Amino acid sequence: MPTTDSPGDAGPGGVPGPEGERARPGTSAGFQAHVRAARSEFEHQIDRARADFEEVNDRINARTGRNLLMATLIGLAVGAVVLGSLLFIKWLFLVFAIPVCLLGVFEFSRALQTAGRRVDVWPQVVAGAVIMLSAFFAGHLTHWALTFGAVAAVIVWRLLAQMIASDGRRYGDVLGDVLIAGFLPLYVPFLASLALVLLRQEQGEYWVLGMLIAVVAADTGAYASGLAFGAHPMAPRISPKKTWEGFAGGAVATVIAAVLWGIFALHVPWWAGAVFGLLILGCATVGDLGESMIKRDLGIKDMSSWLPGHGGVLDRLDSILPSAAAALALYFLFFPLVTL
């Protein structure tokens, strides 16, 4: 009994029809169909990998409170600039350090204003620039004298501005404004200027870089260890996400990094590197918790949103500022060991 050709199997005279041509692997249409299927499968795999990555990234962001990918990219970019300036032409570090410090002063001043404090932003910025520049270009006594003068100037400016305003502001609020006016230049530009005092010393660039490496090691070690093992909050009322497990991981990472840097770059004994690492760890932790207390008092999460994944400039400087003072003291204590 004769069979009827099914559609697409063959046309008149037994010639394959269009559908049959697409079904045959040896034809160009069959090859194109295979390519389309492979591309569709590849796109499906990419979409699934992207969804898995976003899910994991969202869990990490929810646990740590910041965008890990953006934080890493920005950290690498900043690290490359700092590394290049310190290792090749150390005075170029000023081109990076001074503007960053003044941005920290600016955003801290604006955050205080948002919280209802009377802060004179531009006088604070000018005072910060004077303190920072004198640290590198002037002698120690001149640096201290200009720092004292800058603090006195912003306090007097605030008192005169309040007298001119005559707005009936309460005595307690005015006193608070005056204390903040004197605290701000000491907290940000003066502590940052100690890193520039260290920079101008013999081989000071290596000590500044060692301090920054120790701070980064403390932060990275605490972050990774806290993410993996964190269970016991360190200071829940100040910074709920910090744990003792994270602190322990940061301590291990900081000591290892400081010992290695001390031996191979600073040429000091291993125990001096260990002391360097432990002291920087303590100062970095105190600086981080101290800024967290300030932000909690102001009712904000970050000083600003200028650095995605990090928050504000001051949110990255909080660990560095007190560490600069410790690094400078350790330089004068341990540098004589280099010549032994």
Side-chain angles (χ1 to χ4, degrees):
M1 184 175 180
T3 58
T4 304
D5 292 335
S6 59
D9 288 341
V15 179
E19 297 295 332
E21 184 177 352
R22 284 197 295 268
R24 297 194 178 192
T27 63
S28 61
F31 175 75
Q32 293 175 1
H34 179 73
V35 170
R36 285 196 298 270
R39 184 175 62 184
S40 177
E41 178 64 21
F42 177 73
E43 291 174 349
H44 175 71
Q45 295 293 337
I46 291 294
D47 291 338
R48 187 167 64 180
R50 183 186 297 112
D52 291 341
F53 172 79
E54 290 176 351
E55 181 181 355
V56 172
N57 193 44
D58 288 341
R59 287 203 302 267
I60 294 175
N61 294 345
R63 185 168 181 179
T64 60
R66 61 177 173 174
N67 189 319
L68 177 62
L69 181 59
M70 288 300 299
T72 301
L73 293 176
I74 292 175
L76 290 175
V78 172
V81 173
V82 172
L83 191 65
S85 62
L86 288 175
L87 291 182
F88 295 103
I89 306 176
K90 71 178 183 179
W91 64 264
L92 285 178
F93 182 69
L94 274 68
V95 179
F96 170 80
I98 293 179
V100 167
C101 174
L102 297 183
L103 283 175
V105 172
F106 179 82
E107 70 175 12
F108 193 15
S109 301
R110 295 299 299 270
L112 288 166
Q113 286 181 336
T114 303
R117 310 308 309 192
R118 299 287 179 85
V119 181
D120 308 294
V121 178
W122 292 111
Q124 289 286 351
V125 172
V126 172
V130 170
I131 294 171
M132 293 285 288
L133 289 170
S134 66
F136 190 81
F137 294 106
H140 296 314
L141 292 178
T142 304
H143 175 225
W144 280 94
L146 288 176
T147 298
F148 177 81
V151 172
V154 293
I155 289 176
V156 171
W157 187 290
R158 174 86 303 268
L159 289 173
L160 291 175
Q162 183 58 44
M163 291 173 60
I164 294 172
S166 299
D167 54 0
R169 192 168 174 81
R170 294 184 305 173
Y171 173 79
D173 293 334
V174 174
L175 179 61
D177 295 339
V178 171
L179 292 176
I180 288 173
F183 169 74
L184 204 158
L186 292 176
Y187 174 51
V188 184
F190 175 69
L191 288 179
S193 71
L194 297 181
L196 301 186
V197 173
L198 176 58
L199 180 67
R200 61 183 292 185
Q201 308 302 317
E202 181 183 357
Q203 299 183 16
E205 62 271 27
Y206 298 110
W207 287 77
V208 172
L209 186 54
M211 179 265 292
L212 296 176
I213 289 173
V215 170
V216 171
D219 185 55
T220 305
Y223 179 82
S225 181
L227 186 64
F229 309 110
H232 300 86
M234 186 177 182
R237 294 187 177 182
I238 300 175
S239 184
K241 296 184 182 297
K242 291 191 179 301
T243 63
W244 285 109
E245 290 82 2
F247 178 77
V252 172
T254 306
V255 170
I256 292 175
V259 168
L260 293 176
W261 186 258
I263 293 174
F264 295 107
L266 304 182
H267 307 293
V268 296
W270 69 268
W271 58 266
V275 172
F276 184 90
L278 289 173
L279 191 55
I280 295 299
L281 171 70
C283 291
T285 304
V286 169
D288 194 358
L289 292 176
E291 199 229 9
S292 296
M293 290 179 62
I294 294 174
K295 291 189 294 185
R296 184 168 292 273
D297 185 63
L298 296 177
I300 58 177
K301 182 180 181 295
D302 295 316
M303 283 294 176
S304 72
S305 57
W306 292 351
L307 299 176
H310 291 274
V313 173
L314 198 57
D315 296 314
R316 293 298 89 200
L317 292 179
D318 55 1
S319 299
I320 296 174
L321 294 175
S323 299
L328 180 61
L330 290 174
Y331 171 86
F332 290 117
L333 182 64
F334 290 149
F335 187 72
L337 299 176
V338 176
T339 59
L340 296 180

